[in-house]
Amino acid sequence: NVAQGNSFTVYAQSAGADMGVLTVKNKGMDEAGIGGGSWENAGTITINGGNVTATGGSFAAGIGGGNKASGGTITINGGKVTANGGNLSAGIGSGNRASSSGDITINGGVVTATGDGGAGIGGGHVCPAGTVIITGGIVTATGGNEEAGIGGGSEGSGGSVTISGGKVTATGGKYGAAGIGAGLEGSDVTFKTGANGHALIFANGGIGDKTN
């Protein structure tokens, strides 16, 4: 359990026979794979390497908040990271009906995040995104049926998303959510590429912020 006030850091080799492996699957309800429990915001989670797979229980994120709880502060610097949200939750970010997805930064690695009724990276069901910053890595984020690939859950705003580097593929839900931005019936995102942005971005469902 990595609830608010606690921290969790992964250091591991990221290639070859000595690659470190961490697999977490929460089979219960309300608790994140890595992060908070029911009504518990996540604390500070940092992944520097290794092969990490995290699957949330029902209503909780793969990495981030438990049911009705935000994602805390999540930083991925490297490694292979696969995060699968539980029912109505984000792959990386918040659980169901939280106030915010928290602050999420990806600086490198190969990151695959899939929401189940939540954003791939960002808010769970009926939850706005907080701040998402991507400076590098290969990132694939897929939202649930009504949720953004990167951004808000259903009825949730897209928050603030900055993508300045890396290769990013973000796919929104089939019922009208943005690739990067808000979930269905949510308000738009503030999107930036940074002063010297050089990212390759594929946004299936479009980008909610039309000013950049």
Side-chain angles (χ1 to χ4, degrees):
N1 184 285
V2 190
Q4 190 170 13
N6 296 329
S7 62
F8 177 78
T9 303
V10 176
Y11 293 98
Q13 296 290 336
S14 297
D18 294 328
M19 176 184 285
V21 177
L22 173 64
T23 301
V24 184
K25 183 175 182 179
N26 198 317
K27 296 182 180 179
M29 293 180 64
D30 301 339
E31 296 188 359
I34 299 174
S38 181
W39 293 83
E40 288 183 329
N41 297 333
T44 301
I45 300 166
T46 305
I47 299 174
N48 295 308
N51 185 346
V52 178
T53 301
T55 301
S58 294
F59 313 121
I63 299 174
N67 187 21
K68 300 182 180 178
S70 75
T73 301
I74 301 167
T75 304
I76 299 173
N77 294 316
K80 179 181 179 182
V81 179
T82 303
N84 301 303
N87 186 36
L88 302 180
S89 300
I92 299 174
S94 77
N96 173 47
R97 293 182 178 271
S99 60
S100 169
S101 68
D103 298 321
I104 301 164
T105 302
I106 299 173
N107 297 315
V110 178
V111 180
T112 303
T114 304
D116 180 0
I121 298 173
H125 180 65
V126 194
C127 175
T131 301
V132 178
I133 298 172
I134 300 174
T135 66
I138 299 172
V139 180
T140 303
T142 305
N145 287 336
E146 299 179 352
E147 290 75 30
I150 299 174
S154 177
E155 302 179 32
S157 72
S160 174
V161 178
T162 302
I163 302 176
S164 61
K167 177 182 177 182
V168 179
T169 302
T171 302
K174 62 183 179 181
Y175 295 132
I180 299 172
L184 182 67
E185 298 183 0
S187 57
D188 280 339
V189 62
T190 300
F191 175 75
K192 299 177 181 178
T193 57
N196 298 302
H198 54 277
L200 178 61
I201 302 171
F202 300 94
N204 301 311
I207 298 174
D209 188 344
K210 306 302 183 184
T211 64
N212 290 287

